[in-house]
Amino acid sequence: MTEHDIEQLISRMTLAEKLGQMTQVQPHGRDQEERVRQGGAGSLINVVGDDAYHYQWLAVEHSRLGIPLLLGRDVIHGFQTVFPIPLGQAAAFDPERVRQAAAHSAREAGAAGVNWTFSPMLDVARDPRWGRIAESFGEDPLLISRLGVAMVQGYQQEGVAACAKHFVGYGAAEGGRDYSATDLAPRALLDTYLPPFLAAQQAGVMTVMSAFNDLDGVPATGHEDLIRGTLKNRWGFDGLVVSDWCSVTEMIAHGFCEDAAAAARAGVSAGVDMEMASTSYLDHIAGLIEQGLLDIALVDDAVRRILRIKARLGLFQHPYGDPGRTQPQRPVATQLARSLARDSCVLLKNEQGLPLGEHARRVAVIGPMADAPGEQLGCWVFDGERQHSQTVFAALQERLGAQRVVHARGLEHCRSHDLDGLEAAVALARSAEVVVLCLGEDAGLSGEAHCRAHLDLPGAQQTLLEAVAATGVPVVLVIMAGRPLVLGPVLPHAQAVLYAWHPGSQGGPAIVDLLCGESPSGRLPVSFPRSVGQIPIFYNHKNTGRPPHPDAPSIPSGTPLDPSGFFAAYLDEDHRPLFPFGFGLGYTRFEYRDLQLSASQLTPGGTLCASVLLSNAGHRSATEVVQLYVRDLVGSVTRPVRELKDFQRISLQPGESQRVSFELHTDALRFHDRHLRQVCESGRFELWIGPDSASGPSAVFELMASQA
Ligand code: GLC
């Protein structure tokens, strides 16, 4: 179907049919069937399986123009097979496997009639109080961009439209409270929050979703400058923009629109082509046009974009899915889910705790997350198959033999304060040589509208941890959660701490692979705060005029400090995160030596090669995520103290060394100056190649002024 065909079709459409295309509703029985027959919906949400095919059949065979439906679903980190939550996938620093996981998810969803997923979420997330940090790829724009592009490619290669969301700034909600106002300076938008969406647009993402939040006084869903101005006109995005759930009519609650008619006008004018869940477009646009308050050309542009995406998906030829499409291969998906979950786990502490001794005769698996197949899947798993979700307890029994592995919950669920099960759990711990304690957040504490003001272990889990630790039996702590938790009170009570996020269907086998000897390789995609009081805390911050000394001694929480220091720091807490972005341990020691630059000076448009000699100085094979950071030491505006510019996963055998090289093009040094022009300024840069955002050898190079 060509653009000409689309124009032809638009010319045949009534205004009612056009407004129908601009409407996405959730089906509720027969009235929705009639609506579809009348061409009153261009898309349905949350319809899968036989219902999906039924509604598609109604649209294609029984509406006047036979325009197929977009059938949308939140396929966020899997469909029947559930992969780790996006924050966990981000910890693997592996775009290729994120692409593969998205492709598998699209095959499974496509086979159930879904042709549009509301994923990837590209929101920069610097606040672990925000429940939706679980759905994000963390705090760094480059990592988010790389993984977002990979997800878009994975979905769309399998014939499912991806959706870059939530445009824009949603993750910067005040207080980490979902849906709350955001107050982002233009340069923060341009250099931090918009780049992942630009990357997705350049990768050909078919749809974008507008956000709920108020952006400096203008609701994102009514933000004409950003949607029509930046996304559509400046960047050239030619797909469709869908609102978030009722975010058009919520502009009334925002106090931005008087009523639904005004909200419809604001949404269409801003460039929101399709309204999700509410029906103000359907109800009011005809009247707005009649009153001369809305130009029909804007409606036609919206309809054109919607038909264009349906055409790009091939829905006019294959409304029920392309028969030549690759069918889901479950064993492959399962293997990938295990591999990705394994490499998403981050080892935060290990003092002789891991790996489990080969001859551990009796292992006690304890905790509310030890055998919780549904909870370990995490948020947004409408279609996840709990019956195929494998837990740590089951996987460890399978691995070591049932006679060597015993289990007690200790607490019925993560939020429980009922200690009736504590005594039995402690007794079981006492009978074992080692305890694998699985704690964290149940899935319901994570995701949309599930924000937390306190980031400690929920319920009586700290009590359970301390009681088990008091037995003196070594504790390997596995934490499954949808966000960074405050781990200061936790760390002293465990010999090893493995952070598994919500690891998905194969979380159990993946974690057991690591407990039994495969070296963890996950790295933190988000900073871990020492306390909630530090939030927001992120690595790519500004230096300030009074930076604390970078090597200031780590200050134990609560130590009364000499208030004589006048620095950007606290009196009662260390200013640094407990664990920095990029951090993660393994079962070996990597050494970084001999950092080399191909030149000490660079000219605009040029490329610098930076390399380091990486060695596995330990006794186990392992994978390292080698990270490249730069700092623009002086700019026409202040610049972050470090910015991730590239990363590579490198696997080395014990004793093996490899020179790891990166190419840094001057385009990677661009930013927006005080006039909001994108520039690449001459001057000195510091460059690091290291294991995380707080360490590694560095060198300085100079970007020369352009000759012109
Ligand atoms: C929700 C979310 C959005 C999701 C949509 C459809 O409110 O904000 O991310 O895709 O509604 O479920």
Side-chain angles (χ1 to χ4, degrees), residues 159-458:
V160 173
C163 183
K165 71 184 189 182
H166 305 80
F167 194 76
V168 64
Y170 181 36
E174 279 170 357
R177 289 183 303 278
D178 208 354
Y179 315 119
S180 295
T182 60
D183 189 6
L184 296 172
R187 192 169 299 105
L189 271 176
L190 289 166
D191 285 342
T192 302
Y193 290 85
L194 283 169
F197 289 91
L198 177 57
Q201 192 275 331
Q202 291 170 339
V205 70
M206 291 185 184
T207 74
V208 170
M209 183 185 293
S210 68
F212 285 121
N213 53 291
D214 162 330
L215 242 174
D216 185 22
V218 179
T221 295
H223 209 297
E224 189 166 347
D225 288 350
L226 282 172
I227 299 175
R228 198 174 291 284
T230 297
L231 175 67
K232 291 186 171 181
N233 295 341
R234 197 148 62 84
W235 292 355
F237 174 67
D238 68 354
L240 75 86
V241 175
V242 64
S243 76
D244 204 335
W245 191 279
C246 293
S247 66
V248 171
T249 48
E250 284 178 9
M251 289 195 278
I252 301 166
H254 274 290
F256 186 73
C257 295
E258 186 66 41
D259 53 28
R265 184 183 182 196
V268 175
S269 303
V272 176
D273 305 304
M274 184 182 283
E275 179 179 15
M276 180 190 287
S278 50
T279 57
S280 70
Y281 285 14
L282 213 51
D283 302 337
H284 297 287
I285 287 180
L288 290 166
I289 292 172
E290 203 172 306
Q291 298 161 51
L293 295 175
L294 197 64
D295 184 345
I296 182 68
L298 295 182
V299 169
D300 287 347
D301 180 60
V303 173
R304 183 172 299 116
R305 290 167 178 270
I306 293 164
L307 296 178
R308 181 179 293 142
I309 294 309
K310 294 184 177 185
R312 280 191 186 150
L313 286 172
L315 294 182
F316 288 95
Q317 291 80 15
H318 306 296
Y320 307 109
D322 181 348
R325 170 169 60 196
T326 311
Q327 289 309 303
Q329 310 92 351
R330 282 307 195 73
V332 178
T334 302
Q335 195 49 42
L336 179 62
R338 178 169 178 167
S339 153
L340 193 48
R342 186 170 55 233
D343 292 346
S344 70
C345 293
V346 183
L347 184 61
L348 298 175
K349 175 183 178 182
N350 191 23
E351 290 168 3
Q352 283 78 44
L354 284 173
L356 295 179
E358 306 291 321
H359 310 297
R361 287 191 310 280
R362 187 171 169 82
V363 179
V365 183
I366 296 173
M369 291 300 282
D371 198 30
E375 304 304 347
Q376 73 183 46
L377 298 181
C379 55
W380 292 102
V381 286
F382 300 128
D383 308 285
E385 293 179 338
R386 281 150 184 73
Q387 69 275 25
H388 294 311
S389 175
Q390 293 189 43
T391 67
V392 170
F393 171 48
L396 203 54
Q397 273 204 319
E398 191 175 324
R399 187 69 166 264
L400 300 183
Q403 71 290 355
R404 288 172 61 187
V405 181
V406 292
H407 169 251
R409 295 184 78 87
L411 292 165
E412 196 44 42
H413 58 78
C414 292
R415 295 180 236 182
S416 172
H417 288 277
D418 179 346
L419 299 178
D420 286 356
L422 188 72
E423 192 177 332
V426 171
L428 199 74
R430 204 171 279 121
S431 74
E433 290 170 72
V434 61
V435 173
V436 176
L437 185 60
C438 300
L439 304 176
E441 290 182 320
D442 54 80
L445 281 174
S446 182
E448 181 172 355
H450 293 158
C451 303
R452 297 180 61 200
H454 304 278
L455 298 182
D456 310 302
L457 284 170

